[in-house]
Amino acid sequence: MTQAPDYIRAYMADRPVDAARAALCIIDMQYATGSRQGALARKLQAEGSRTGDYRFDRIERFVLPNTLRLREHFSRLGRPVLHVTVGAALPDASDAPIHMRKLFVEFRNHVGSREHEIVDELKPRPGEHVLRKTTIGAFASTHIDSLLRALGCEQLYLTGVSTNMCVETTAREAADRGYGVTLVEDACGTTHEDLHEVTMRNFQRLFGRVRGTAEVLAELEPVHV
């Protein structure tokens, strides 16, 4: 069945792309849940589960290489790169919201642990910003809003994991605060393909845009007069 045109398109803002106001936000690319060498992957393997196969294949084939390409591009443009991490300050996760504590404790995702670290391929460089959250969305438990405004960033490009959780929640929070938000589809990943696809389909209904890495690189190319 052919899908009917969506009425919501008539109400969406058409915001011109401005590379001079853009920032790259890399979400939760840590060993705990963002690597085949991390706690989540080891747990699933020990249980004999194949649930993580799609997730880690996608991270290795798309999320990581495309995020690296985007970081290089933003760096070349002199635009900010932000790494957002998730995890507790303490091993018992007592500083985290109740609904996040069991996950942090079981995966040993706290400051100072290997699981909490950003994967080696994306280790933050001098001048890049790192913000730790204890919530699913970054705006609820970090100073990302004030940082972005201080940096003069109004247009955000999001990559990382998980598409339907921390990436989507942060993107929605940003959109509701007036930022122009783009989800980089082939630089995001989650555990189930249908969750990824539905998130992308839903986000571009009023919240913001969905683009591929190649499209982002092209639209942010500086214009030489």
Coordinates of all heavy atoms in Angstrom, one line a residue, residues 19-69:
A19 N 26.9 26.1 8.5 CA 28.1 25.4 9.1 C 28.7 26.2 10.2 O 29.3 25.6 11.2 CB 29.1 25.1 8.0
A20 N 28.6 27.5 10.2 CA 29.2 28.4 11.2 C 28.5 28.3 12.6 O 29.0 28.8 13.6 CB 29.3 29.8 10.7
R21 N 27.3 27.6 12.6 CA 26.6 27.5 13.8 C 26.4 26.1 14.2 O 25.6 25.7 15.1 CB 25.2 28.2 13.6 CG 25.2 29.6 13.1 CD 25.8 30.6 14.0 NE 24.8 30.9 15.1 CZ 25.1 31.8 16.1 NH1 26.3 32.3 16.2 NH2 24.2 32.0 17.0
A22 N 27.2 25.2 13.6 CA 26.9 23.7 13.8 C 27.9 23.1 14.8 O 29.0 23.6 15.0 CB 27.1 23.0 12.4
A23 N 27.5 22.0 15.4 CA 28.3 21.2 16.3 C 28.0 19.8 16.1 O 26.8 19.4 15.8 CB 28.0 21.6 17.8
L24 N 29.0 18.9 16.3 CA 28.8 17.5 16.3 C 28.7 16.9 17.7 O 29.6 17.2 18.5 CB 30.0 16.8 15.5 CG 30.0 15.3 15.5 CD1 28.8 14.8 14.7 CD2 31.3 14.8 14.9
C25 N 27.6 16.2 18.0 CA 27.4 15.6 19.3 C 27.5 14.0 19.1 O 26.6 13.4 18.5 CB 26.1 16.0 19.9 SG 25.9 17.7 20.2
I26 N 28.5 13.4 19.7 CA 28.7 12.0 19.7 C 28.2 11.4 21.0 O 28.7 11.7 22.1 CB 30.2 11.7 19.5 CG1 30.7 12.4 18.2 CG2 30.4 10.1 19.4 CD1 32.2 12.3 18.1
I27 N 27.2 10.5 20.9 CA 26.5 10.1 22.1 C 26.9 8.6 22.5 O 26.7 7.7 21.7 CB 24.9 10.1 21.8 CG1 24.5 11.4 21.3 CG2 24.2 9.7 23.1 CD1 24.6 12.6 22.3
D28 N 27.4 8.5 23.7 CA 27.6 7.2 24.4 C 28.4 6.2 23.7 O 28.1 5.0 23.8 CB 26.2 6.6 24.8 CG 25.4 7.5 25.7 OD1 25.9 8.6 26.2 OD2 24.3 7.1 26.0
M29 N 29.4 6.6 23.0 CA 30.3 5.7 22.3 C 31.4 5.1 23.3 O 32.5 5.4 23.2 CB 30.9 6.3 21.1 CG 29.9 6.5 19.9 SD 29.2 4.9 19.3 CE 30.7 4.2 18.6
Q30 N 30.9 4.4 24.3 CA 31.7 3.9 25.3 C 31.8 2.3 25.3 O 31.0 1.7 24.7 CB 31.1 4.3 26.7 CG 31.0 5.8 26.8 CD 30.0 6.2 27.9 OE1 28.9 6.6 27.5 NE2 30.3 6.1 29.1
Y31 N 32.7 1.8 26.0 CA 32.9 0.3 26.0 C 31.7 -0.4 26.6 O 31.3 -1.5 26.2 CB 34.2 0.0 26.8 CG 35.4 0.1 25.9 CD1 36.2 1.3 26.0 CD2 35.7 -0.8 24.9 CE1 37.3 1.5 25.2 CE2 36.7 -0.6 24.0 CZ 37.5 0.5 24.2 OH 38.6 0.7 23.3
A32 N 31.0 0.2 27.6 CA 29.9 -0.5 28.3 C 28.9 -1.1 27.3 O 28.5 -2.2 27.4 CB 29.2 0.5 29.3
T33 N 28.4 -0.2 26.4 CA 27.3 -0.7 25.5 C 27.6 -0.4 24.0 O 26.8 -0.7 23.2 CB 26.0 -0.1 25.9 OG1 26.1 1.4 25.8 CG2 25.6 -0.4 27.3
G34 N 28.8 0.3 23.8 CA 29.1 0.7 22.4 C 30.2 -0.1 21.8 O 30.7 0.4 20.7
S35 N 30.6 -1.2 22.3 CA 31.7 -2.0 21.7 C 31.5 -3.4 21.9 O 31.0 -3.9 23.0 CB 33.0 -1.5 22.4 OG 34.1 -2.4 22.1
R36 N 32.0 -4.2 21.0 CA 31.9 -5.7 21.1 C 32.8 -6.2 22.2 O 32.7 -7.3 22.6 CB 32.3 -6.3 19.8 CG 31.8 -7.7 19.6 CD 32.3 -8.3 18.3 NE 31.7 -7.7 17.1 CZ 30.6 -8.0 16.5 NH1 29.8 -9.0 17.0 NH2 30.2 -7.3 15.4
Q37 N 33.7 -5.3 22.7 CA 34.6 -5.7 23.8 C 34.1 -5.3 25.2 O 34.8 -5.5 26.2 CB 36.0 -5.1 23.6 CG 36.9 -5.8 22.5 CD 36.4 -5.5 21.1 OE1 36.2 -4.4 20.7 NE2 36.2 -6.6 20.4
G38 N 32.9 -4.7 25.2 CA 32.4 -4.2 26.4 C 31.4 -5.1 27.2 O 31.2 -6.3 26.8
A39 N 30.9 -4.6 28.3 CA 30.1 -5.3 29.3 C 28.9 -5.9 28.7 O 28.5 -7.1 28.9 CB 29.8 -4.5 30.5
L40 N 28.1 -5.2 27.9 CA 26.9 -5.7 27.3 C 27.2 -6.9 26.4 O 26.5 -7.9 26.4 CB 26.2 -4.6 26.5 CG 24.9 -5.0 25.7 CD1 23.9 -5.6 26.6 CD2 24.4 -3.9 24.9
A41 N 28.2 -6.7 25.5 CA 28.5 -7.8 24.6 C 29.0 -9.0 25.3 O 28.6 -10.2 24.9 CB 29.6 -7.3 23.6
R42 N 29.8 -8.9 26.4 CA 30.3 -10.0 27.1 C 29.1 -10.7 27.8 O 29.0 -12.0 27.9 CB 31.3 -9.6 28.1 CG 32.6 -9.2 27.5 CD 33.7 -9.1 28.5 NE 33.4 -8.3 29.7 CZ 33.6 -7.0 29.8 NH1 34.2 -6.4 28.8 NH2 33.3 -6.3 30.9
K43 N 28.2 -10.0 28.3 CA 27.0 -10.6 29.0 C 26.2 -11.4 28.0 O 25.8 -12.5 28.3 CB 26.1 -9.4 29.6 CG 24.8 -9.9 30.2 CD 24.0 -8.7 30.7 CE 22.6 -9.2 31.1 NZ 22.6 -10.1 32.2
L44 N 25.9 -10.8 26.9 CA 25.1 -11.5 25.9 C 25.8 -12.8 25.4 O 25.2 -13.9 25.2 CB 24.8 -10.6 24.7 CG 23.9 -9.4 25.1 CD1 23.7 -8.5 23.8 CD2 22.5 -9.9 25.5
Q45 N 27.1 -12.7 25.2 CA 27.9 -13.9 24.8 C 27.9 -15.0 25.8 O 27.7 -16.1 25.5 CB 29.3 -13.4 24.4 CG 30.2 -14.6 23.9 CD 31.6 -14.1 23.5 OE1 32.1 -13.2 24.2 NE2 32.2 -14.7 22.5
A46 N 28.0 -14.6 27.1 CA 28.0 -15.6 28.1 C 26.6 -16.3 28.2 O 26.6 -17.5 28.6 CB 28.3 -14.9 29.5
E47 N 25.6 -15.6 27.9 CA 24.2 -16.2 27.9 C 23.9 -16.9 26.6 O 22.8 -17.5 26.5 CB 23.2 -15.0 28.1 CG 23.3 -14.3 29.5 CD 22.4 -13.1 29.6 OE1 21.9 -12.7 28.5 OE2 22.3 -12.6 30.7
G48 N 24.8 -16.9 25.7 CA 24.5 -17.6 24.4 C 23.5 -16.9 23.6 O 22.9 -17.5 22.7
S49 N 23.4 -15.6 23.8 CA 22.4 -14.8 23.1 C 23.0 -14.1 21.8 O 24.1 -13.6 21.9 CB 21.8 -13.7 24.0 OG 21.0 -12.8 23.3
R50 N 22.2 -14.1 20.7 CA 22.7 -13.4 19.5 C 22.0 -12.0 19.4 O 22.1 -11.4 18.3 CB 22.3 -14.2 18.3 CG 22.9 -15.7 18.3 CD 24.4 -15.7 18.3 NE 24.9 -15.1 17.1 CZ 25.2 -15.7 16.0 NH1 24.9 -17.0 15.9 NH2 25.7 -15.1 14.9
T51 N 21.4 -11.6 20.5 CA 20.6 -10.3 20.4 C 21.5 -9.1 20.0 O 21.0 -8.2 19.4 CB 20.0 -10.0 21.8 OG1 19.2 -11.2 22.2 CG2 19.1 -8.8 21.8
G52 N 22.8 -9.2 20.4 CA 23.6 -8.0 20.2 C 24.3 -8.0 18.8 O 25.0 -7.1 18.5
D53 N 24.1 -9.1 18.0 CA 24.8 -9.2 16.7 C 24.5 -8.0 15.8 O 25.4 -7.4 15.3 CB 24.4 -10.4 16.0 CG 24.9 -11.7 16.6 OD1 25.7 -11.6 17.6 OD2 24.7 -12.8 16.1
Y54 N 23.2 -7.6 15.6 CA 22.9 -6.5 14.8 C 23.5 -5.2 15.3 O 24.1 -4.4 14.6 CB 21.4 -6.3 14.7 CG 21.0 -5.1 14.0 CD1 21.0 -4.9 12.6 CD2 20.5 -3.9 14.7 CE1 20.6 -3.7 11.9 CE2 20.2 -2.8 14.1 CZ 20.2 -2.7 12.7 OH 19.9 -1.5 12.1
R55 N 23.4 -5.0 16.6 CA 24.0 -3.8 17.2 C 25.4 -3.6 17.0 O 25.9 -2.5 16.5 CB 23.7 -3.8 18.7 CG 24.2 -2.6 19.5 CD 24.1 -2.8 21.0 NE 24.5 -1.6 21.8 CZ 23.6 -0.7 22.1 NH1 22.4 -0.7 21.7 NH2 24.0 0.4 22.8
F56 N 26.2 -4.6 17.3 CA 27.7 -4.4 17.2 C 28.2 -4.5 15.8 O 29.2 -3.8 15.4 CB 28.4 -5.5 18.1 CG 28.0 -5.3 19.6 CD1 27.3 -6.2 20.3 CD2 28.4 -4.1 20.2 CE1 26.9 -6.0 21.6 CE2 28.0 -3.9 21.5 CZ 27.3 -4.8 22.2
D57 N 27.5 -5.2 14.9 CA 27.8 -5.2 13.5 C 27.6 -3.8 12.9 O 28.4 -3.3 12.2 CB 26.9 -6.2 12.7 CG 27.4 -7.6 12.9 OD1 28.5 -7.9 13.5 OD2 26.6 -8.5 12.5
R58 N 26.5 -3.2 13.3 CA 26.2 -1.9 12.8 C 27.2 -0.8 13.3 O 27.6 0.0 12.6 CB 24.7 -1.5 13.2 CG 24.4 -0.1 12.6 CD 22.9 0.2 12.8 NE 22.6 1.6 12.3 CZ 22.4 1.9 11.0 NH1 22.3 0.9 10.1 NH2 22.2 3.1 10.6
I59 N 27.5 -0.9 14.6 CA 28.5 0.0 15.2 C 29.8 -0.1 14.4 O 30.4 0.9 14.0 CB 28.7 -0.3 16.7 CG1 27.5 0.1 17.5 CG2 30.0 0.4 17.2 CD1 27.6 -0.3 18.9
E60 N 30.3 -1.3 14.2 CA 31.6 -1.5 13.5 C 31.5 -1.1 12.0 O 32.5 -0.6 11.5 CB 32.0 -3.0 13.7 CG 32.3 -3.3 15.1 CD 32.4 -4.8 15.4 OE1 32.2 -5.6 14.4 OE2 32.7 -5.2 16.5
R61 N 30.4 -1.4 11.4 CA 30.4 -1.2 9.9 C 30.0 0.3 9.6 O 30.4 0.8 8.5 CB 29.4 -2.1 9.3 CG 29.8 -3.6 9.3 CD 28.7 -4.5 8.6 NE 28.5 -4.0 7.3 CZ 27.4 -4.3 6.6 NH1 26.4 -5.0 7.2 NH2 27.2 -3.9 5.3
F62 N 29.1 0.9 10.4 CA 28.6 2.2 10.1 C 28.8 3.3 11.1 O 29.4 4.3 10.8 CB 27.1 2.1 9.8 CG 26.7 1.2 8.7 CD1 26.2 -0.1 8.9 CD2 27.0 1.5 7.3 CE1 25.9 -0.9 7.9 CE2 26.7 0.7 6.3 CZ 26.1 -0.6 6.6
V63 N 28.4 3.0 12.3 CA 28.5 4.1 13.4 C 29.9 4.6 13.6 O 30.1 5.8 13.5 CB 27.8 3.6 14.7 CG1 27.9 4.7 15.7 CG2 26.4 3.1 14.5
L64 N 30.8 3.7 13.8 CA 32.2 4.2 14.1 C 32.8 4.8 12.9 O 33.3 5.9 13.1 CB 33.0 3.0 14.7 CG 34.4 3.3 15.2 CD1 34.4 4.4 16.2 CD2 35.0 2.1 15.7
P65 N 32.9 4.2 11.8 CA 33.6 4.8 10.7 C 32.9 6.1 10.2 O 33.7 7.1 9.9 CB 33.5 3.7 9.5 CG 32.5 2.8 9.9 CD 32.5 2.8 11.4
N66 N 31.6 6.2 10.2 CA 31.0 7.4 9.8 C 31.1 8.5 10.8 O 31.3 9.7 10.5 CB 29.5 7.2 9.5 CG 29.3 6.4 8.2 OD1 30.1 6.6 7.3 ND2 28.2 5.7 8.1
T67 N 31.1 8.2 12.1 CA 31.4 9.2 13.1 C 32.8 9.7 13.0 O 33.1 10.9 13.2 CB 31.1 8.6 14.5 OG1 29.8 8.2 14.6 CG2 31.5 9.6 15.6
L68 N 33.8 8.9 12.7 CA 35.1 9.3 12.5 C 35.2 10.3 11.3 O 35.9 11.3 11.4 CB 36.1 8.1 12.3 CG 36.4 7.3 13.5 CD1 37.0 5.9 13.1 CD2 37.3 8.0 14.5
R69 N 34.5 10.0 10.2 CA 34.5 10.9 9.1 C 33.9 12.2 9.4 O 34.5 13.3 9.0 CB 33.7 10.2 7.9 CG 34.3 9.0 7.3 CD 33.4 8.4 6.3 NE 33.0 9.2 5.2 CZ 32.0 9.1 4.4 NH1 31.1 8.1 4.6 NH2 31.8 9.9 3.4

